[in-house]
């Protein structure tokens, strides 16, 4: 969800029992928001300077502690309220799904005529009020090594991701850290030193680990790596490789349906394998390992209707689903400035695309024509491509410097374009390479600007141009929504996209993968490298296998509607033919050891 958009979401929705995730990659933003909320609530604000020892971890810890205090205070206030129309207490229970025992008790309380029984039920209901989790996200790849003023490398514990983890570990919140973007051995090794991730004397784990994964293999590898250190994975959060917001980590053609099927078939084996390793590690470390902790399997990425949500939960026996992108259109839940909010509400499929703007070199889901896009293009027209590099979280390139710099920075782009100008490139090739270099955006500032603008926070210097990273699913949500409306949509009590022509989430993802396959193949032709040819052959095979799998699941996907099943089948046939044509059209250029791959 980016940096700014959920930085204060727990303050907005946790009191309603809704869990959310704060990105803690940017300690400067957490410090800005701590100052803002201290002033708003009347708490004393004592700044943490970059000159302070371990300032990054301290800033993150202090902000999370403040958010935790605010949510705790909100809950205490709610429990003193009456069940009157419009109160937060009433809203808490109104938002619950109909299957919730607490919701059933609430409805019973509304129906009873006996005052004493009503009061008894009200007191019981107030005891059931629980805040949503204040979880945090660390993108494992954003782990820059830091240096002191003399240019000397600081110890590993001061790297960006490790310091962020330490800040979370030291905070008062009892929740989870979500690791995304793959395995980071340095970060995972440091995790082993933090005792709050181990069970206490009551067997309770105060700080939990959630792994965001794109397939079963990744879950198994990372899960085993951490289990051997005595770290339990409380949840594997499966995310679509392409039908998601932000950075898109495409699989080798493995589609969401088959991936979920693999988790379903191997869930018990996965748990047992990891628990065995976990037990052994805990014994060595002197912890009690008799009780098996909970482990959830959840999914997110492109879910858009209550029927899809219900299908995923029941068919794959999942413990939960995640909805992200639609909440960018809900000011009660996320922090999106007004101009960007209206642009998102009007966005269509053509406005949402997989871009190359990320300095990390990973495909990035973007909104065409965002404020940050326009600012970048303006700089290019003025002959000054690139951005000032202030935050430096995404520095990674050492082509021209000893210490890494960011590929979106004006410094890097100036040096790279100078190098291109000295090469003997054709006009078309130069222009292509020029676009690749200058396309990069400053995401550090671009993804933090929204909350600053929305709350009218005054800063000495700010990028002032919002970058935003919605998933493709946003195209089918075309209004600004209340929290109640979106929650009711999720639970099937309301349809906020009624009348919208929208493909099933599996069909949408398949289409995204076929487009991705086509574009990557075209960029790589002719395939004279055998390894490269095998990659695309495997990719195509996996997509075809996914299409076959979906045909077998048509009745379930269509909720046993013959008309819907027929429509899905036609769409699969069209996509299958499209994939075949892409491959056959390119097959003359796809060779390995003299033989055509087919």
């Amino acid at each position: 969800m980016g940096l700014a958009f959920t930085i204060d979401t727990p303050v907005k929705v946790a009191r309603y029992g809704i869990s959310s995730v704060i990105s803690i990659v940017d300690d400067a933003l957490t410090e800005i928001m701590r100052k803002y909320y201290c002033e708003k609530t009347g708490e004393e604000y004592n700044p943490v300077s970059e000159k302070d020892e371990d300032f990054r971890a301290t800033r993150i810890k202090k902000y999370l502690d403040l958010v935790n205090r605010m949510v705790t205070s909100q809950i205490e206030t709610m429990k003193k309220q009456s069940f009157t129309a419009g109160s937060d207490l009433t809203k808490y229970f109104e938002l619950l799904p109909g299957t919730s025992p607490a919701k059933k008790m609430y409805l019973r309380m509304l129906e009873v005529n006996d005052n004493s029984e009503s009061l008894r039920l009200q007191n019981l209901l107030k005891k059931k009020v629980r805040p949503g989790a204040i979880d945090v996200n660390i993108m494992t790849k954003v782990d820059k090594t830091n240096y002191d003023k003399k240019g000397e490398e600081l110890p590993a514990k001061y790297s960006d991701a490790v310091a962020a983890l330490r800040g979370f570990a030291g905070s008062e919140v009892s929740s989870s850290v979500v690791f995304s973007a793959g395995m980071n051995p340095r970060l995972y090794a440091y995790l082993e030193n933090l005792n709050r991730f181990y069970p206490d004397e009551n067997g309770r784990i105060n700080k939990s680990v959630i792994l965001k994964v794109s397939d079963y293999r990744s879950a198994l590898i990372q899960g085993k790596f951490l289990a051997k250190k005595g770290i339990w994975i409380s949840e594997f959060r499966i995310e679509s490789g392409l039908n998601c917001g932000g950075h898109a980590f495409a699989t080798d053609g493995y589609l969401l349906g088959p991936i979920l099927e693999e988790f379903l078939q191997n869930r018990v084996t996965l748990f047992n394998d990891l628990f065995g390793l976990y037990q052994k590690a805990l014994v060595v470390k002197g912890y009690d390992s008799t009780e098996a902790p909970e482990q959830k399997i959840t999914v997110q990425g492109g879910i858009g209707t209550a029927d899809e949500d219900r299908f995923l939960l029941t068919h794959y026996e999942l413990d939960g689903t995640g909805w992200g992108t639609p909440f960018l259109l809900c000011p009660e839940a996320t922090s999106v400035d007004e101009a960007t909010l209206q642009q998102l509400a009007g966005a269509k499929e053509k406005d949402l695309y997989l871009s190359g703007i990320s300095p990390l070199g990973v495909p990035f889901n973007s909104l065409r024509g965002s404020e940050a896009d326009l600012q970048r293009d303006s700089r290019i027209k003025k002959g000054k491509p690139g951005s000032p590099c202030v935050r430096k979280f995404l520095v990674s390139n050492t082509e021209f410097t000893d210490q890494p710099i960011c590929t979106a920075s004006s410094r890097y782009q100036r040096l790279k374009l100078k190098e291109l100008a000295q090469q003997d490139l054709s006009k078309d090739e130069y222009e292509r390479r020029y676009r690749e270099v200058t396309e990069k955006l400053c995401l550090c500032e671009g993804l933090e600007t929204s909350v600053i603008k929305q709350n009218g926070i005054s800063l000495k210097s700010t990028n002032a141009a919002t970058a935003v990273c919605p998933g493709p699913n946003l195209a089918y949500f075309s209004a600004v929504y209340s929290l109640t409306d979106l929650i009711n949509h999720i639970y099937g009590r309301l349809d906020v996209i009624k009348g919208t022509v929208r493909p099933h989430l599996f069909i949408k993802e398949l289409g995204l993968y076929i487009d991705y396959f086509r574009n990557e193949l075209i960029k790589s032709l002719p395939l004279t490298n055998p390894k490269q040819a095998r990659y695309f052959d495997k990719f195509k095979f996996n997509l075809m296998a996914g299409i076959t799998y979906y045909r077998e699941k048509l009745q379930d996907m269509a909720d046993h509607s013959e008309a819907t099943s027929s429509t899905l089948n036609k769409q699969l046939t069209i996509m299958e033919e499209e994939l075949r044509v892409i491959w056959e059209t390119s097959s003359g250029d796809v060779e390995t050891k003299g033989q055509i791959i087919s």
Side-chain angles (χ1 to χ4, degrees):
M1 191 63 89
L3 304 179
F5 310 116
T6 61
I7 188 69
D8 59 347
T9 291
V11 178
K12 297 171 183 281
V13 304
R15 65 184 179 275
Y16 302 122
I18 301 172
S19 297
S20 58
V21 183
I22 295 176
S23 171
I24 54 172
V25 66
D26 189 343
D27 63 283
L29 181 60
T30 62
E31 184 69 3
I32 290 168
M33 296 307 296
R34 185 169 70 88
K35 181 176 185 292
Y36 170 77
Y37 274 112
C38 279
E39 292 173 349
K40 193 170 183 178
T41 60
E43 275 204 32
E44 182 181 1
Y45 169 70
N46 295 309
V48 178
S49 166
E50 292 187 1
K51 297 178 181 179
D52 294 338
E53 173 68 18
D54 205 15
F55 71 90
R56 180 169 165 76
T58 303
R59 283 176 167 180
I60 291 166
K61 175 193 179 302
K62 284 181 173 289
Y63 179 64
L64 293 176
D65 287 346
L66 173 62
V67 171
N68 189 61
R69 288 195 299 275
M70 293 174 67
V71 172
T72 299
S73 176
Q74 290 171 351
I75 293 294
E76 291 173 352
T77 299
M78 276 178 58
K79 289 183 176 181
K80 296 175 183 176
Q81 294 176 348
S82 300
F83 283 90
T84 55
S87 72
D88 279 345
L89 183 62
T90 297
K91 188 172 183 177
Y92 179 96
F93 290 98
E94 289 287 347
L95 291 177
L96 291 174
T99 56
S100 164
K103 181 62 170 279
K104 293 176 181 177
M105 183 185 291
Y106 168 74
L107 294 175
R108 190 164 75 251
M109 181 272 293
L110 295 179
E111 293 174 354
V112 298
N113 295 318
D114 185 282
N115 288 338
S116 61
E117 175 62 8
S118 176
L119 185 60
R120 186 185 73 83
L121 291 174
Q122 288 179 31
N123 289 332
L124 286 175
L125 286 169
K126 288 181 179 181
K127 291 178 181 179
K128 292 183 179 295
V129 172
R130 297 286 187 277
I134 306 170
D135 292 331
V136 303
N137 170 248
I138 295 177
M139 188 174 176
T140 58
K141 302 300 184 187
V142 184
D143 191 23
K144 172 181 92 271
T145 296
N146 288 305
Y147 298 82
D148 63 19
K149 291 182 178 180
K150 298 178 181 179
E152 296 180 359
E153 186 175 313
L154 291 172
K157 74 172 187 175
Y158 294 110
S159 71
D160 283 353
V162 172
L165 178 62
R166 185 165 57 257
F168 168 68
S171 71
E172 297 170 358
V173 297
S174 179
S175 60
S176 301
V177 57
V178 182
F179 289 132
S180 60
M183 190 160 68
N184 178 339
R186 175 167 69 179
L187 179 65
Y188 288 3
Y190 189 79
L191 183 65
E192 189 177 8
N193 302 317
L194 302 171
N195 60 17
R196 297 187 77 180
F197 287 91
Y198 296 102
D200 61 20
E201 61 275 9
N202 299 314
R204 182 175 179 271
I205 301 174
N206 182 266
K207 307 279 186 181
S208 301
V209 174
I210 296 173
L211 284 186
K212 188 185 289 188
V213 295
S214 57
D215 56 36
Y216 181 80
R217 182 174 178 272
S218 175
L220 185 62
I221 292 173
Q222 293 188 74
K224 284 185 174 181
F225 186 90
L226 288 169
K228 290 176 182 178
K229 296 180 179 296
I231 301 297
W232 184 248
I233 307 304
S234 65
E235 178 185 336
F236 287 105
R237 188 166 292 179
I238 306 159
E239 183 175 61
S240 168
L242 292 178
N243 198 11
C244 60
H247 286 94
F249 295 90
T251 65
D252 293 350
Y254 294 107
L255 300 174
L256 188 59
I259 289 169
L260 291 174
E261 185 70 34
E262 189 172 10
F263 272 92
L264 175 64
Q265 299 303 324
N266 294 283
R267 180 170 185 166
V268 174
T269 301
L270 175 65
F271 180 92
N272 290 337
D273 287 351
L274 297 185
F275 185 56
L277 296 171
Y278 173 71
Q279 279 186 307
K280 292 178 183 178
L282 287 187
V283 169
V284 172
K285 294 176 182 292
Y287 289 93
D288 181 11
S289 63
T290 56
E291 186 175 342
E294 181 184 46
Q295 186 172 83
K296 294 181 179 180
I297 307 291
T298 64
V299 68
Q300 63 185 40
I303 308 170
T305 68
D307 286 341
E308 289 178 351
D309 193 82
R310 183 169 53 251
F311 165 71
L312 292 170
L313 288 171
T314 56
H315 187 81
Y316 296 105
E317 300 176 15
L318 298 169
D319 298 294
T321 57
W323 293 61
T325 286
F327 282 94
L328 286 171
L329 297 171
C330 179
E332 290 178 70
T334 56
S335 294
V336 181
D337 63 271
E338 184 62 26
T340 303
L341 181 64
Q342 295 305 321
Q343 192 176 9
L344 289 171
K348 305 302 179 186
E349 286 182 334
K350 63 180 177 60
D351 302 312
L352 304 164
Y353 73 112
L354 196 61
S355 74
I357 69 172
S358 173
L360 294 178
V362 178
F364 192 77
N365 276 301
S366 304
L367 173 68
R368 204 180 302 277
S370 69
E371 286 186 353
D373 279 0
L374 299 178
Q375 183 186 70
R376 175 201 58 203
D377 295 346
S378 174
R379 286 170 172 164
I380 292 172
K381 287 181 180 179
K382 293 176 181 178
K384 298 180 179 180
S387 306
C389 190
V390 179
R391 297 284 189 254
K392 302 184 186 301
F393 293 122
L394 302 183
V395 297
S396 61
N397 187 282
T398 54
E399 286 181 72
F400 308 106
T401 56
D402 292 330
Q403 291 187 15
I405 58 176
C406 180
T407 57
S409 68
S410 53
R411 182 185 183 190
Y412 171 81
Q413 292 191 12
R414 183 173 63 251
L415 292 168
K416 189 64 178 177
L417 293 177
K418 181 179 179 180
E419 179 186 72
L420 289 182
Q422 295 171 348
Q423 296 175 0
D424 188 19
L425 302 173
S426 66
K427 181 180 178 181
D428 289 345
E429 178 64 11
Y430 175 81
E431 290 180 352
R432 183 186 70 78
R433 301 274 293 277
Y434 181 92
R435 287 193 299 271
E436 286 182 353
V437 172
T438 58
E439 182 184 12
K440 305 301 181 189
L441 273 180
C442 174
L443 297 182
C444 295
E445 287 195 286
L447 290 177
E448 76 169 21
T449 301
S450 182
V451 70
I452 293 171
K453 293 171 66 174
Q454 185 199 32
N455 290 305
I457 298 173
S458 178
L459 299 177
K460 290 182 180 179
S461 63
T462 180
N463 188 17
T466 302
V468 65
C469 50
N473 198 31
L474 184 84
Y476 314 110
F477 292 81
S478 303
V480 176
Y481 304 103
S482 69
L483 180 64
T484 298
D485 283 351
L486 273 187
I487 297 299
N488 285 340
H489 176 78
I490 291 171
Y491 292 139
R493 300 185 293 238
L494 179 69
D495 187 354
V496 301
I497 58 172
K498 188 175 182 179
T500 301
V501 178
R502 177 186 173 279
H504 188 280
L505 82 136
F506 285 168
I507 299 296
K508 177 65 177 181
E509 189 202 44
L510 173 59
L512 293 170
Y513 265 101
I514 290 175
D515 288 343
Y516 181 85
F517 177 76
R518 176 195 295 109
N519 294 334
E520 292 300 302
L521 183 58
I522 289 173
K523 286 192 296 186
S524 302
L525 293 176
L527 298 184
T528 55
N529 184 317
K531 182 179 179 181
Q532 199 175 37
R534 286 193 296 271
Y535 163 76
F536 283 106
D537 187 45
K538 178 184 177 183
F539 203 117
K540 183 207 65 161
F541 175 85
N542 290 334
L543 289 179
M544 287 296 191
I547 291 172
T548 299
Y549 171 84
Y550 289 145
R551 280 212 173 90
E552 295 171 353
K553 300 292 180 182
L554 278 177
Q555 286 297 312
D556 294 322
M557 289 167 58
D559 200 20
H560 301 283
S561 164
E562 289 297 331
T564 306
S565 178
S566 176
T567 299
L568 292 173
N569 190 41
K570 289 177 182 177
Q571 292 172 333
L572 288 171
T573 299
I574 291 171
M575 290 182 167
E576 184 177 39
E577 177 63 14
E578 182 180 359
L579 183 57
R580 184 188 64 78
V581 170
I582 292 170
W583 188 252
E584 289 185 354
T585 302
S586 307
S587 62
D589 293 313
V590 183
E591 300 181 4
T592 176
K593 297 182 179 179
Q595 296 190 357
I596 299 295
I597 302 293
S598 59

